[in-house]
Amino acid sequence: MAHYTELNIGPIHPAVHGILKFKVKLQEEIIEDVEITLGFLHRNAEKICELNYYADNMVYFDRMDYIDAMNMELGYLTAVEKLMDMEVPERAQWIRMIMAELNRLAARLVGLGAFGLDMGMLTPFFHCFIEREKIQKIFVEASGGRQEVNYMSIGGVYQDFNDQIINDIREFLKEFKPYLEDIYGMFMHSEIFWQRNDGIGILEPDVALDYGVTGPLLRGSGIAYDVRKDAPYLFYDKVNFNIPISHKKDNMGRFILKVEEMRQSIRIIEQSIDKIPDGPYFNNKAKKSMMLRLKGDGEVFSRVESENGEFGVYVRGNGTFKPWRVHVRSPAFKNISVVPVMAKGMMIADLIVIIGSVDTVIGEIDR
Amino acid sequence: MKNGDLGIKTTTIEKALEWGSANSLWPLTMGLACCAIEMMATQAADLDIARFGSEIFRNSPRQSDLMIVAGTTTKRMAPRVKRVYEEMPYPKYVIAMGVCVIQGGPYVDGYSVVMGVDKVVPVDVYIPGCPPSPQALTYGIMTLQKKIKHETDR
Amino acid sequence: MYKIISESEDKNKIKIINIDKNDLIEFMEDYKSKGYYLSSITGVDMQDHLEVIYHIHNYDTHEYIEVKILTTDDKVPSLTKLWKAAKGDEREQYDLMGIIFEGHENLRRIVLPDEWVGHPLRKSYDLKKVQYINMDSEGKEHVSYNENEGW
Ligand code: SF4
């Protein structure tokens, strides 16, 4: 008769990227089954959103995927602005795009650093955070916030870009490009990194689609789906960039793909920074004094590409100052649900690497 | 402490112990939410709290003496936070980082957030901010060191 | 054959299809064979009835469709047989909104503990009645209204 061991990982464990609990059923060292317990960071954001004014809810979206705050804001705003029939000036849209891509870089850097830590590689972590700190300095200059920025607002952005910020971004990109290759090299030249990732965590494309997986995880299985190309928002249709995909389907492929996506993000920023037109940076209908008097009516579902994949926001208004219902389609929630499939039949040590490769943010799963 | 003529320092054992434990605080990674990322940034190269003796973040409660509660403590998490706190050896200290941990913060209207971690574990230093900047966390740790150094004077 | 009650568009130009809840499985089976995948499930409390909204997505034609059904007795058929993505989503909607998905083999709460009373996203949920969670030495969670029994 088979003999099973049960092992609990989490909720507080450095490898689970936040607070999650994995209950693993083991036969010797081989994983038979993984059961995931969620809810340790359930902060009832959806309920609170119903109690607040439209403009107030930005705060809660910032704190969903807390390392990718700009894209979360963007997701909420694209929905709410359509609900209110609010136009966004061109300048604001370009600024939003630059900020969203910068934040994507910052989020990826945290992800890569933590991924290294999972395998006991301490060095890339420090290098990633040095670079991330530079992005945050730009954010502080533009918005005053470091991480939970609350920079975009309904109908535009909170503050205009000045020449200083544009210069800073240009300089940062120039420094960052070779640095990214350095960080990449640190991983790729490590024999241990290769052995622990090559061929580990296979995700077949049909399984991925069945589970509703999006983002790097889906592209890592060879399906070129990215909301920025699929249903372009902002001005993503006016810049040149590629959607990298990988047919390796494993951790290694996903890692290479994530770094390639960072290079594409740099490309997007470089192109858009030259294109920022002059003009207003917010819509006059949404002045700061008018912010709480905006009404929404009807229903809307809008999606953006966040760090983890397709981030969708469903908002239903009933003609008052407060939304009737806000629902979030969380990409990380879907992504984490394939971990049991990917981990089945692997060694227990591989589970840690797989979780690191899926790279979820708990704030967004539990909300 | 007194400086003697022969280059010898005399002090009490309590003082020496306090000096030692204040300057070698080993924090436990209790990263619960957004504030955890700022805690990681504090640990990383740019801001480096190793300068203040908090050299390594330990992942086991048995090896650490400072618990930085960084991030929203939900009702579901509270008993677990308490259990981890109980597993830490004495002397132990707690820093509450972020408004969520102090009184509920942005989630004060909700149903599933503990309104202040001080209802669960005793807190020594509160650091407001949402999230507090790494500099604020560093300042909080220095404040805690001051507190530890003067524990027997009180 | 399923019957489409009405069609409209939301403000993001996504097509909304209203159908009867008894036709749901048949409708979804048809769309699954056309290459659609489930993207998200949303429950909306309209006080006298519940709306359940399914977003389905075709990766080839880039088409997004919103399917809407109404229910007055909180019960709707489960889609777990069609897409695995429904497993987590349905559990979440059951937990927070109290929609009972018939045919889901593991319909438990997902983010709140099993003993929690009420479904928080309902408009009738009373936020003033505070519930507390405690854990015994075995790791089982207990919910009570008494503050002294919390943690
Ligand atoms: S204080 Fe703010 S940043 Fe920190 S955990 Fe709470 S919501 Fe997140």
Side-chain angles (χ1 to χ4, degrees), chain C residues 4 18 23 31 34 38 43-44 61-62 74 78 80 86-88 94-95 101 105-106 128 130-131 137 141 150:
Chain C
I4 291 171
N18 287 300
D23 290 342
Y31 272 75
K34 287 181 195 162
L38 182 69
V44 183
T61 59
H62 306 314
D74 301 355
S78 162
T80 40
K87 277 188 188 173
Y94 164 70
D95 186 353
F101 293 91
E105 74 265 20
N106 188 19
K128 292 202 185 71
V130 186
Q131 304 186 37
S137 56
E141 287 161 325

PDB file of all heavy atoms in Angstrom, chain C residues 4 18 23 31 34 38 43-44 61-62 74 78 80 86-88 94-95 101 105-106 128 130-131 137 141 150:
ATOM      1  N   ILE C   4     -32.208  32.969 -27.191  1.00  0.00           N
ATOM      2  CA  ILE C   4     -31.607  34.218 -26.735  1.00  0.00           C
ATOM      3  C   ILE C   4     -32.722  35.217 -26.451  1.00  0.00           C
ATOM      4  O   ILE C   4     -33.546  35.520 -27.318  1.00  0.00           O
ATOM      5  CB  ILE C   4     -30.630  34.751 -27.799  1.00  0.00           C
ATOM      6  CG1 ILE C   4     -29.416  33.825 -27.865  1.00  0.00           C
ATOM      7  CG2 ILE C   4     -30.209  36.166 -27.476  1.00  0.00           C
ATOM      8  CD1 ILE C   4     -28.483  34.098 -28.995  1.00  0.00           C
ATOM      9  N   ASN C  18     -28.495  37.983 -23.148  1.00  0.00           N
ATOM     10  CA  ASN C  18     -29.335  37.549 -22.036  1.00  0.00           C
ATOM     11  C   ASN C  18     -29.967  36.216 -22.393  1.00  0.00           C
ATOM     12  O   ASN C  18     -30.609  36.097 -23.430  1.00  0.00           O
ATOM     13  CB  ASN C  18     -30.443  38.568 -21.782  1.00  0.00           C
ATOM     14  CG  ASN C  18     -29.900  39.821 -21.146  1.00  0.00           C
ATOM     15  OD1 ASN C  18     -29.330  39.779 -20.058  1.00  0.00           O
ATOM     16  ND2 ASN C  18     -30.040  40.936 -21.837  1.00  0.00           N
ATOM     17  N   ASP C  23     -31.098  27.364 -20.011  1.00  0.00           N
ATOM     18  CA  ASP C  23     -30.416  27.160 -21.284  1.00  0.00           C
ATOM     19  C   ASP C  23     -28.902  27.281 -21.173  1.00  0.00           C
ATOM     20  O   ASP C  23     -28.188  27.086 -22.145  1.00  0.00           O
ATOM     21  CB  ASP C  23     -30.886  28.214 -22.309  1.00  0.00           C
ATOM     22  CG  ASP C  23     -32.310  27.970 -22.732  1.00  0.00           C
ATOM     23  OD1 ASP C  23     -32.778  26.845 -22.510  1.00  0.00           O
ATOM     24  OD2 ASP C  23     -32.933  28.894 -23.267  1.00  0.00           O
ATOM     25  N   TYR C  31     -20.946  27.367 -27.408  1.00  0.00           N
ATOM     26  CA  TYR C  31     -19.864  28.336 -27.559  1.00  0.00           C
ATOM     27  C   TYR C  31     -18.509  27.724 -27.287  1.00  0.00           C
ATOM     28  O   TYR C  31     -17.510  28.175 -27.838  1.00  0.00           O
ATOM     29  CB  TYR C  31     -20.120  29.565 -26.675  1.00  0.00           C
ATOM     30  CG  TYR C  31     -20.953  30.582 -27.396  1.00  0.00           C
ATOM     31  CD1 TYR C  31     -22.311  30.385 -27.581  1.00  0.00           C
ATOM     32  CD2 TYR C  31     -20.377  31.723 -27.941  1.00  0.00           C
ATOM     33  CE1 TYR C  31     -23.077  31.280 -28.278  1.00  0.00           C
ATOM     34  CE2 TYR C  31     -21.138  32.628 -28.643  1.00  0.00           C
ATOM     35  CZ  TYR C  31     -22.486  32.407 -28.812  1.00  0.00           C
ATOM     36  OH  TYR C  31     -23.239  33.293 -29.519  1.00  0.00           O
ATOM     37  N   LYS C  34     -17.250  26.390 -30.322  1.00  0.00           N
ATOM     38  CA  LYS C  34     -16.792  27.426 -31.257  1.00  0.00           C
ATOM     39  C   LYS C  34     -15.446  28.009 -30.854  1.00  0.00           C
ATOM     40  O   LYS C  34     -14.971  28.959 -31.463  1.00  0.00           O
ATOM     41  CB  LYS C  34     -17.812  28.555 -31.304  1.00  0.00           C
ATOM     42  CG  LYS C  34     -19.093  28.213 -32.045  1.00  0.00           C
ATOM     43  CD  LYS C  34     -20.005  29.430 -32.048  1.00  0.00           C
ATOM     44  CE  LYS C  34     -21.414  29.054 -32.433  1.00  0.00           C
ATOM     45  NZ  LYS C  34     -22.363  30.112 -32.031  1.00  0.00           N
ATOM     46  N   LEU C  38     -13.754  30.338 -20.784  1.00  0.00           N
ATOM     47  CA  LEU C  38     -14.340  31.138 -19.705  1.00  0.00           C
ATOM     48  C   LEU C  38     -13.295  32.093 -19.146  1.00  0.00           C
ATOM     49  O   LEU C  38     -12.165  31.707 -18.874  1.00  0.00           O
ATOM     50  CB  LEU C  38     -14.851  30.215 -18.603  1.00  0.00           C
ATOM     51  CG  LEU C  38     -15.526  30.908 -17.439  1.00  0.00           C
ATOM     52  CD1 LEU C  38     -16.839  31.508 -17.871  1.00  0.00           C
ATOM     53  CD2 LEU C  38     -15.734  29.951 -16.294  1.00  0.00           C
ATOM     54  N   GLY C  43     -21.123  37.851  -9.894  1.00  0.00           N
ATOM     55  CA  GLY C  43     -22.490  37.868  -9.392  1.00  0.00           C
ATOM     56  C   GLY C  43     -22.853  39.282  -8.996  1.00  0.00           C
ATOM     57  O   GLY C  43     -22.044  39.985  -8.410  1.00  0.00           O
ATOM     58  N   VAL C  44     -24.072  39.695  -9.354  1.00  0.00           N
ATOM     59  CA  VAL C  44     -24.506  41.031  -8.969  1.00  0.00           C
ATOM     60  C   VAL C  44     -25.807  40.898  -8.192  1.00  0.00           C
ATOM     61  O   VAL C  44     -26.745  40.245  -8.650  1.00  0.00           O
ATOM     62  CB  VAL C  44     -24.720  41.941 -10.200  1.00  0.00           C
ATOM     63  CG1 VAL C  44     -25.085  43.338  -9.765  1.00  0.00           C
ATOM     64  CG2 VAL C  44     -23.485  41.969 -11.051  1.00  0.00           C
ATOM     65  N   THR C  61     -10.486  34.761 -32.523  1.00  0.00           N
ATOM     66  CA  THR C  61     -11.149  35.907 -33.153  1.00  0.00           C
ATOM     67  C   THR C  61     -11.100  37.146 -32.272  1.00  0.00           C
ATOM     68  O   THR C  61     -11.654  38.178 -32.622  1.00  0.00           O
ATOM     69  CB  THR C  61     -12.611  35.569 -33.441  1.00  0.00           C
ATOM     70  OG1 THR C  61     -13.236  35.233 -32.196  1.00  0.00           O
ATOM     71  CG2 THR C  61     -12.744  34.406 -34.379  1.00  0.00           C
ATOM     72  N   HIS C  62     -10.450  37.055 -31.116  1.00  0.00           N
ATOM     73  CA  HIS C  62     -10.347  38.175 -30.173  1.00  0.00           C
ATOM     74  C   HIS C  62     -11.713  38.699 -29.765  1.00  0.00           C
ATOM     75  O   HIS C  62     -11.900  39.895 -29.642  1.00  0.00           O
ATOM     76  CB  HIS C  62      -9.537  39.330 -30.760  1.00  0.00           C
ATOM     77  CG  HIS C  62      -8.199  38.920 -31.252  1.00  0.00           C
ATOM     78  ND1 HIS C  62      -7.368  38.124 -30.516  1.00  0.00           N
ATOM     79  CD2 HIS C  62      -7.541  39.189 -32.393  1.00  0.00           C
ATOM     80  CE1 HIS C  62      -6.263  37.908 -31.189  1.00  0.00           C
ATOM     81  NE2 HIS C  62      -6.342  38.534 -32.337  1.00  0.00           N
ATOM     82  N   ASP C  74     -31.246  31.844  -6.072  1.00  0.00           N
ATOM     83  CA  ASP C  74     -29.804  31.722  -5.797  1.00  0.00           C
ATOM     84  C   ASP C  74     -29.150  30.528  -6.470  1.00  0.00           C
ATOM     85  O   ASP C  74     -27.982  30.285  -6.244  1.00  0.00           O
ATOM     86  CB  ASP C  74     -29.509  31.591  -4.290  1.00  0.00           C
ATOM     87  CG  ASP C  74     -30.022  32.774  -3.510  1.00  0.00           C
ATOM     88  OD1 ASP C  74     -30.510  33.720  -4.151  1.00  0.00           O
ATOM     89  OD2 ASP C  74     -29.931  32.750  -2.274  1.00  0.00           O
ATOM     90  N   SER C  78     -23.759  24.669 -12.693  1.00  0.00           N
ATOM     91  CA  SER C  78     -22.316  24.868 -12.636  1.00  0.00           C
ATOM     92  C   SER C  78     -21.672  24.593 -13.995  1.00  0.00           C
ATOM     93  O   SER C  78     -22.146  23.764 -14.765  1.00  0.00           O
ATOM     94  CB  SER C  78     -21.735  23.931 -11.593  1.00  0.00           C
ATOM     95  OG  SER C  78     -20.364  23.797 -11.794  1.00  0.00           O
ATOM     96  N   THR C  80     -18.409  23.726 -14.210  1.00  0.00           N
ATOM     97  CA  THR C  80     -17.122  23.065 -13.977  1.00  0.00           C
ATOM     98  C   THR C  80     -16.869  21.923 -14.944  1.00  0.00           C
ATOM     99  O   THR C  80     -15.725  21.566 -15.181  1.00  0.00           O
ATOM    100  CB  THR C  80     -17.055  22.511 -12.544  1.00  0.00           C
ATOM    101  OG1 THR C  80     -18.317  21.951 -12.225  1.00  0.00           O
ATOM    102  CG2 THR C  80     -16.732  23.597 -11.560  1.00  0.00           C
ATOM    103  N   ALA C  86     -13.771  27.434 -14.103  1.00  0.00           N
ATOM    104  CA  ALA C  86     -14.970  27.751 -13.342  1.00  0.00           C
ATOM    105  C   ALA C  86     -14.861  27.310 -11.893  1.00  0.00           C
ATOM    106  O   ALA C  86     -15.553  27.832 -11.034  1.00  0.00           O
ATOM    107  CB  ALA C  86     -16.178  27.088 -13.999  1.00  0.00           C
ATOM    108  N   LYS C  87     -13.980  26.334 -11.629  1.00  0.00           N
ATOM    109  CA  LYS C  87     -13.888  25.798 -10.265  1.00  0.00           C
ATOM    110  C   LYS C  87     -13.634  26.890  -9.241  1.00  0.00           C
ATOM    111  O   LYS C  87     -14.391  27.057  -8.286  1.00  0.00           O
ATOM    112  CB  LYS C  87     -12.753  24.779 -10.188  1.00  0.00           C
ATOM    113  CG  LYS C  87     -13.138  23.409 -10.656  1.00  0.00           C
ATOM    114  CD  LYS C  87     -12.006  22.453 -10.346  1.00  0.00           C
ATOM    115  CE  LYS C  87     -12.265  21.105 -10.973  1.00  0.00           C
ATOM    116  NZ  LYS C  87     -11.120  20.223 -10.835  1.00  0.00           N
ATOM    117  N   GLY C  88     -12.567  27.644  -9.451  1.00  0.00           N
ATOM    118  CA  GLY C  88     -12.208  28.677  -8.491  1.00  0.00           C
ATOM    119  C   GLY C  88     -13.196  29.818  -8.494  1.00  0.00           C
ATOM    120  O   GLY C  88     -13.607  30.315  -7.440  1.00  0.00           O
ATOM    121  N   TYR C  94     -19.650  31.848  -4.731  1.00  0.00           N
ATOM    122  CA  TYR C  94     -20.465  31.240  -3.678  1.00  0.00           C
ATOM    123  C   TYR C  94     -20.102  31.840  -2.332  1.00  0.00           C
ATOM    124  O   TYR C  94     -20.970  32.191  -1.523  1.00  0.00           O
ATOM    125  CB  TYR C  94     -20.241  29.732  -3.657  1.00  0.00           C
ATOM    126  CG  TYR C  94     -20.730  29.083  -2.392  1.00  0.00           C
ATOM    127  CD1 TYR C  94     -22.090  28.989  -2.144  1.00  0.00           C
ATOM    128  CD2 TYR C  94     -19.844  28.598  -1.440  1.00  0.00           C
ATOM    129  CE1 TYR C  94     -22.549  28.427  -0.967  1.00  0.00           C
ATOM    130  CE2 TYR C  94     -20.295  28.034  -0.271  1.00  0.00           C
ATOM    131  CZ  TYR C  94     -21.648  27.953  -0.032  1.00  0.00           C
ATOM    132  OH  TYR C  94     -22.088  27.407   1.126  1.00  0.00           O
ATOM    133  N   ASP C  95     -18.819  31.995  -2.116  1.00  0.00           N
ATOM    134  CA  ASP C  95     -18.345  32.490  -0.833  1.00  0.00           C
ATOM    135  C   ASP C  95     -18.833  33.915  -0.578  1.00  0.00           C
ATOM    136  O   ASP C  95     -19.408  34.224   0.457  1.00  0.00           O
ATOM    137  CB  ASP C  95     -16.808  32.441  -0.848  1.00  0.00           C
ATOM    138  CG  ASP C  95     -16.207  32.788   0.488  1.00  0.00           C
ATOM    139  OD1 ASP C  95     -16.973  33.191   1.373  1.00  0.00           O
ATOM    140  OD2 ASP C  95     -14.992  32.648   0.646  1.00  0.00           O
ATOM    141  N   PHE C 101     -23.978  26.982  -7.025  1.00  0.00           N
ATOM    142  CA  PHE C 101     -23.763  26.410  -8.347  1.00  0.00           C
ATOM    143  C   PHE C 101     -24.056  24.926  -8.266  1.00  0.00           C
ATOM    144  O   PHE C 101     -23.310  24.172  -7.636  1.00  0.00           O
ATOM    145  CB  PHE C 101     -22.330  26.674  -8.807  1.00  0.00           C
ATOM    146  CG  PHE C 101     -22.059  28.121  -9.064  1.00  0.00           C
ATOM    147  CD1 PHE C 101     -21.579  28.948  -8.066  1.00  0.00           C
ATOM    148  CD2 PHE C 101     -22.306  28.678 -10.305  1.00  0.00           C
ATOM    149  CE1 PHE C 101     -21.349  30.285  -8.297  1.00  0.00           C
ATOM    150  CE2 PHE C 101     -22.069  30.013 -10.544  1.00  0.00           C
ATOM    151  CZ  PHE C 101     -21.598  30.818  -9.535  1.00  0.00           C
ATOM    152  N   GLU C 105     -18.607  19.995  -7.600  1.00  0.00           N
ATOM    153  CA  GLU C 105     -18.389  18.903  -6.646  1.00  0.00           C
ATOM    154  C   GLU C 105     -17.699  19.363  -5.368  1.00  0.00           C
ATOM    155  O   GLU C 105     -17.632  18.621  -4.404  1.00  0.00           O
ATOM    156  CB  GLU C 105     -17.615  17.738  -7.301  1.00  0.00           C
ATOM    157  CG  GLU C 105     -16.166  17.969  -7.547  1.00  0.00           C
ATOM    158  CD  GLU C 105     -15.895  18.462  -8.973  1.00  0.00           C
ATOM    159  OE1 GLU C 105     -16.831  18.971  -9.628  1.00  0.00           O
ATOM    160  OE2 GLU C 105     -14.765  18.331  -9.407  1.00  0.00           O
ATOM    161  N   ASN C 106     -17.187  20.553  -5.349  1.00  0.00           N
ATOM    162  CA  ASN C 106     -16.444  20.992  -4.172  1.00  0.00           C
ATOM    163  C   ASN C 106     -16.811  22.436  -3.837  1.00  0.00           C
ATOM    164  O   ASN C 106     -15.973  23.312  -3.807  1.00  0.00           O
ATOM    165  CB  ASN C 106     -14.938  20.857  -4.448  1.00  0.00           C
ATOM    166  CG  ASN C 106     -14.106  21.113  -3.222  1.00  0.00           C
ATOM    167  OD1 ASN C 106     -14.606  21.058  -2.110  1.00  0.00           O
ATOM    168  ND2 ASN C 106     -12.844  21.411  -3.427  1.00  0.00           N
ATOM    169  N   LYS C 128     -22.162  45.795  10.564  1.00  0.00           N
ATOM    170  CA  LYS C 128     -21.985  46.179  11.977  1.00  0.00           C
ATOM    171  C   LYS C 128     -21.824  44.975  12.885  1.00  0.00           C
ATOM    172  O   LYS C 128     -21.288  45.078  13.971  1.00  0.00           O
ATOM    173  CB  LYS C 128     -23.190  47.006  12.425  1.00  0.00           C
ATOM    174  CG  LYS C 128     -23.236  48.343  11.729  1.00  0.00           C
ATOM    175  CD  LYS C 128     -24.045  49.344  12.497  1.00  0.00           C
ATOM    176  CE  LYS C 128     -24.185  50.625  11.718  1.00  0.00           C
ATOM    177  NZ  LYS C 128     -25.090  50.454  10.552  1.00  0.00           N
ATOM    178  N   VAL C 130     -19.854  42.285  13.863  1.00  0.00           N
ATOM    179  CA  VAL C 130     -18.468  41.898  13.616  1.00  0.00           C
ATOM    180  C   VAL C 130     -18.259  40.436  13.998  1.00  0.00           C
ATOM    181  O   VAL C 130     -18.713  40.002  15.050  1.00  0.00           O
ATOM    182  CB  VAL C 130     -17.522  42.800  14.426  1.00  0.00           C
ATOM    183  CG1 VAL C 130     -16.086  42.506  14.070  1.00  0.00           C
ATOM    184  CG2 VAL C 130     -17.834  44.250  14.160  1.00  0.00           C
ATOM    185  N   GLN C 131     -17.592  39.709  13.121  1.00  0.00           N
ATOM    186  CA  GLN C 131     -17.291  38.309  13.416  1.00  0.00           C
ATOM    187  C   GLN C 131     -15.803  38.157  13.684  1.00  0.00           C
ATOM    188  O   GLN C 131     -14.988  38.865  13.117  1.00  0.00           O
ATOM    189  CB  GLN C 131     -17.697  37.414  12.234  1.00  0.00           C
ATOM    190  CG  GLN C 131     -19.139  37.576  11.870  1.00  0.00           C
ATOM    191  CD  GLN C 131     -19.591  36.591  10.807  1.00  0.00           C
ATOM    192  OE1 GLN C 131     -19.175  35.453  10.785  1.00  0.00           O
ATOM    193  NE2 GLN C 131     -20.470  37.036   9.948  1.00  0.00           N
ATOM    194  N   SER C 137      -5.561  24.406  18.444  1.00  0.00           N
ATOM    195  CA  SER C 137      -4.186  23.928  18.287  1.00  0.00           C
ATOM    196  C   SER C 137      -4.047  23.004  17.081  1.00  0.00           C
ATOM    197  O   SER C 137      -2.954  22.757  16.607  1.00  0.00           O
ATOM    198  CB  SER C 137      -3.752  23.200  19.559  1.00  0.00           C
ATOM    199  OG  SER C 137      -4.672  22.171  19.832  1.00  0.00           O
ATOM    200  N   GLU C 141     -10.319  26.461  12.152  1.00  0.00           N
ATOM    201  CA  GLU C 141     -10.746  27.832  12.425  1.00  0.00           C
ATOM    202  C   GLU C 141     -12.165  27.863  12.969  1.00  0.00           C
ATOM    203  O   GLU C 141     -13.039  27.128  12.506  1.00  0.00           O
ATOM    204  CB  GLU C 141     -10.678  28.659  11.136  1.00  0.00           C
ATOM    205  CG  GLU C 141      -9.254  28.971  10.763  1.00  0.00           C
ATOM    206  CD  GLU C 141      -9.114  29.364   9.319  1.00  0.00           C
ATOM    207  OE1 GLU C 141      -9.837  28.822   8.484  1.00  0.00           O
ATOM    208  OE2 GLU C 141      -8.269  30.221   9.038  1.00  0.00           O
ATOM    209  N   GLY C 150     -12.132  35.807  19.920  1.00  0.00           N
ATOM    210  CA  GLY C 150     -11.317  36.011  18.728  1.00  0.00           C
ATOM    211  C   GLY C 150      -9.843  35.883  19.065  1.00  0.00           C
ATOM    212  O   GLY C 150      -9.415  36.288  20.132  1.00  0.00           O
TER     213      GLY C 150
END
